[in-house]
Amino acid sequence: MADLQQLEEQIVGLSLLDAAALVKKLEERLGVSAAAAAPVMMAGGGAGATAGAAPAEEKTEFSVVLKEVGANKINVIKAVREVTSLGLKEPIKEGVSKEEAENIRKKFTDAGATVEVK
């Protein structure tokens, strides 16, 4: 069990670049892909902000930005790779629908990251 603890500490201590390289090497060696097929979750509607106010033009395109990676770096890297081939500092997706933005936000939040939808 001590070996697993040491291995965990070494993995957590990796830089994001090294962690991504490790994931790629493990994928190649084991013949698997870290991108898992995730079920599509319907975004819960944000029930009316103000009932009496005239409806303003609703925003139809959103950008999902990764604000903080969190403790589970590898899970976040997997989520980034599942959604796009971009790095961790770039907007994850731009110009997506509200539903897709919420699905992406949930995926990264579940992986332990902090995400901002703009």
Side-chain angles (χ1 to χ4, degrees):
M1 201 57 146
D3 292 336
L4 289 176
Q5 186 105 22
Q6 287 176 330
L7 181 58
E8 178 186 353
E9 290 299 320
Q10 289 174 340
I11 290 173
V12 170
L14 289 175
S15 70
L16 292 178
L17 195 55
D18 289 339
L22 175 62
V23 169
K24 186 156 185 75
K25 284 183 179 187
L26 289 174
E27 286 176 337
E28 291 171 2
R29 184 171 183 176
L30 300 174
V32 296
S33 175
V40 176
M41 302 293 290
M42 296 301 290
T50 28
E57 184 174 324
E58 186 172 333
K59 190 173 179 181
T60 59
E61 291 187 350
F62 300 86
S63 297
V64 180
V65 180
L66 188 61
K67 295 293 283 183
E68 186 176 312
V69 176
N72 299 319
K73 292 177 187 176
I74 292 186
N75 289 338
V76 175
I77 290 169
K78 288 178 185 178
V80 168
R81 293 182 115 196
E82 184 177 340
V83 174
T84 181
S85 61
L86 297 173
L88 295 177
K89 297 288 183 186
E90 300 170 273
I92 297 165
K93 283 266 188 161
E94 293 180 317
V96 297
S97 68
K98 184 176 185 177
E99 182 178 334
E100 185 176 357
E102 284 303 313
N103 288 338
I104 293 169
R105 184 200 55 77
K106 181 174 180 356
K107 187 175 294 188
F108 282 92
T109 303
D110 290 347
T114 303
V115 177
E116 178 182 17
V117 176
K118 295 181 179 181

